[in-house]
C-alpha cells in the first residue's frame, strides 16, 4: 500500500456502542451540541451520538449522503436529489434547493466551508461512471454546478488557511487539490494531490487536521491514510472492517478521530469507530443559509 510503512504512525480505533449501518458515512462533529452526526445512506437515516454516549436517529425518507449542522438551527442534508433541512425537533424534512443532476443519481458526500457554503456531489445509483456532479449551495439558497462527468463525488475539505480545497472523485483514484478563495468560493484549477487505490479499492471521504494533514478513507482497504500537505503518506488508521467510508475529528478538543464503515468483509463492519487522533482536527462548519 505504501513505500513509507516503516515511518508511518499507525492508529487502531475501537467500535463505538451505537447501531451498525448498512452504509455508514459522513461523520460530522457539531461543536454546538457536542455531538457526532453521521448517516446511513440507503437507510435514509441520520444518526447522532451525544457527548454522553446517548444515541438517537431520524429517518428522513430519502437516501442521505451528508449531514451538517445548520446555523439557523437543525441540520442541513445532501439527500435524494438536492439539499434539504431537517428539523431535529419534529423530524420534518423540507427541501432547501434541488440539485438538478442526471437521472438515476443521488446526493453523496458533502461539507461546508468556513463561510457556510454547503458543497456536495452526486453519483449514479448503479455507480455508472460519468454521471456525477459536484455542487455548491450558497447561503442565499442558490445552487451552482461546479464539476460534471464524475464517477462518485466523495470527500471534500479545506486546508487550515482555507486557501486550498481537497476533493475526491473515487473513480479517479486520486485526491485532488484546488486553490480556493474563502471570500468568494472561487475555485482554481483541479490538480492531483495524492494517487491511491486500484480496482475496487478507492478513496472515499476525507478530513483535514490542524497541521494540514489530509486523512483519506480507503474503501475496500480497511484503512485511513494520512498525507502531509505535500501529499506524502505519513500515517495510517487500521480498521477491522474493509469498507472504510469517511472520518471526522470530534470531542471537546477536536482530537478524537471518528471513522464510519459499511457492511461487508471484516469485523464490526458498519460500525462507527473512534480513537485519539494524536492531533486536533479542523472544525466542521454549519450551513449558513
Ligand atoms: Ca462516501
Amino acid at each position: 500500500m505504501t513505500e513509507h510503512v516503516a515511518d508511518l504512525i499507525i492508529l487502531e480505533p475501537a467500535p463505538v456502542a451505537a447501531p451498525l449501518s448498512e452504509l455508514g458515512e459522513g461523520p460530522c462533529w457539531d461543536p454546538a451540541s457536542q455531538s457526532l452526526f453521521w448517516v446511513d445512506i440507503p437507510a435514509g437515516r441520520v444518526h447522532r451520538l451525544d457527548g454522553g454516549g446517548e444515541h438517537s436517529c431520524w429517518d428522513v425518507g430519502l437516501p442521505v449522503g451528508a449531514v451538517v449542522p445548520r446555523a439557523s438551527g437543525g441540520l442541513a442534508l445532501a439527500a435524494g436529489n438536492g439539499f434539504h433541512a431537517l428539523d431535529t425537533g419534529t423530524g420534518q424534512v423540507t427541501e432547501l434547493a434541488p440539485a438538478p443532476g442526471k437521472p438515476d443519481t443521488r446526493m453523496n458526500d458533502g461539507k461546508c466551508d468556513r463561510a457556510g457554503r454547503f458543497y456536495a456531489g452526486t453519483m449514479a445509483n448503479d455507480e455508472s461512471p460519468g454521471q456525477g456532479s459536484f455542487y455548491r449551495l450558497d447561503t442565499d439558497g442558490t445552487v451552482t454546478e461546479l464539476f460534471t462527468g464524475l464517477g462518485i463525488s466523495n470527500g471534500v475539505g479545506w486546508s487550515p488557511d482555507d486557501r486550498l480545497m481537497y476533493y475526491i472523485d473515487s473513480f479517479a483514484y486520486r485526491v485532488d487539490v484546488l486553490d480556493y478563495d474563502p471570500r468568494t468560493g472561487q475555485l482554481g484549477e483541479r490538480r492531483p494531490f495524492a494517487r491511491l487505490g486500484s480496482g475496487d479499492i478507492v478513496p472515499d471521504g476525507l478530513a483535514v487536521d490542524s497541521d494540514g494533514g489530509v486523512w483519506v478513507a480507503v474503501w475496500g482497504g480497511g484503512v485511513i491514510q494520512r498525507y502531509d500537505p505535500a501529499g506524502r503518506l505519513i500515517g495510517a488508521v487500521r480498521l477491522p472492517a474493509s469498507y472504510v467510508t469517511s472520518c471526522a475529528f470530534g470531542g471537546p478538543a477536536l482530537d478524537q478521530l471518528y471513522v464510519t464503515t459499511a457492511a461487508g468483509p471484516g469485523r464490526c463492519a458498519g460500525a462507527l469507530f473512534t480513537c485519539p487522533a494524536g492531533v486536533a482536527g479542523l472544525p466542521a462548519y454549519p450551513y449558513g443559509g
Side-chain angles (χ1 to χ4, degrees):
M1 186 175 303
T2 168
E3 66 273 35
H4 302 294
V5 168
D7 306 328
L8 293 184
I9 299 164
I10 309 283
L11 302 176
E12 295 193 324
V16 171
L20 299 180
S21 293
E22 182 181 345
L23 178 49
E25 270 283 5
C28 175
W29 178 260
D30 175 30
S33 63
Q34 290 286 297
S35 51
L36 186 83
F37 290 91
W38 73 102
V39 299
D40 184 347
I41 297 177
R45 190 164 296 145
V46 175
H47 290 279
R48 179 177 69 192
L49 194 70
D50 72 18
E54 192 78 21
H55 172 266
S56 47
C57 62
W58 296 262
D59 287 324
V60 302
L62 295 165
V64 54
V67 55
V68 297
R70 194 176 177 203
S72 57
L75 301 171
L77 311 174
N81 294 109
F83 295 94
H84 296 77
L86 170 62
D87 183 324
T88 50
T90 64
Q92 190 175 358
V93 176
T94 50
E95 187 178 77
L96 293 168
K102 299 210 170 173
D104 300 319
T105 59
R106 67 157 171 84
M107 294 297 272
N108 199 39
D109 205 347
K111 207 170 281 175
C112 294
D113 76 351
R114 193 185 297 262
R117 305 177 185 98
F118 191 0
Y119 290 82
T122 56
M123 60 176 284
N125 289 318
D126 65 359
E127 302 190 5
S128 307
Q131 304 302 299
S133 296
F134 184 59
Y135 300 95
R136 181 184 68 231
L137 172 66
D138 281 303
T139 56
D140 66 359
T142 308
V143 173
T144 305
E145 189 176 61
L146 301 169
F147 313 145
T148 58
L150 302 171
I152 299 180
S153 185
N154 247 318
V156 58
W158 289 266
S159 59
D161 65 1
D162 299 312
R163 290 287 171 184
L164 298 172
M165 174 192 268
Y166 297 99
Y167 175 76
I168 293 172
D169 174 358
S170 293
F171 286 175
Y173 299 105
R174 293 193 315 266
V175 181
D176 288 334
V177 64
L178 306 92
D179 291 329
Y180 190 75
D181 184 337
R183 200 173 45 83
T184 61
Q186 184 77 32
L187 294 171
E189 186 189 353
R190 190 171 146 209
R191 56 196 189 270
F193 170 73
R195 296 176 192 276
L196 70 156
S198 63
D200 294 336
I201 299 175
V202 298
D204 196 332
L206 71 81
V208 183
D209 67 45
S210 57
D211 291 338
V214 182
W215 301 56
V216 182
V218 185
W219 172 272
V223 72
I224 285 173
Q225 300 193 158
R226 181 188 177 196
Y227 296 86
D228 72 8
R232 287 182 296 250
L233 188 59
I234 56 169
V237 183
R238 281 198 193 118
L239 285 304
S242 177
Y243 296 145
V244 182
T245 55
S246 190
C247 60
F249 296 91
L254 286 179
D255 58 358
Q256 191 75 17
L257 185 71
Y258 289 95
V259 181
T260 48
T261 64
R267 284 187 297 112
C268 304
L272 175 72
F273 291 81
T274 191
C275 70
V279 62
L282 298 177
Y285 297 106
Y287 172 56

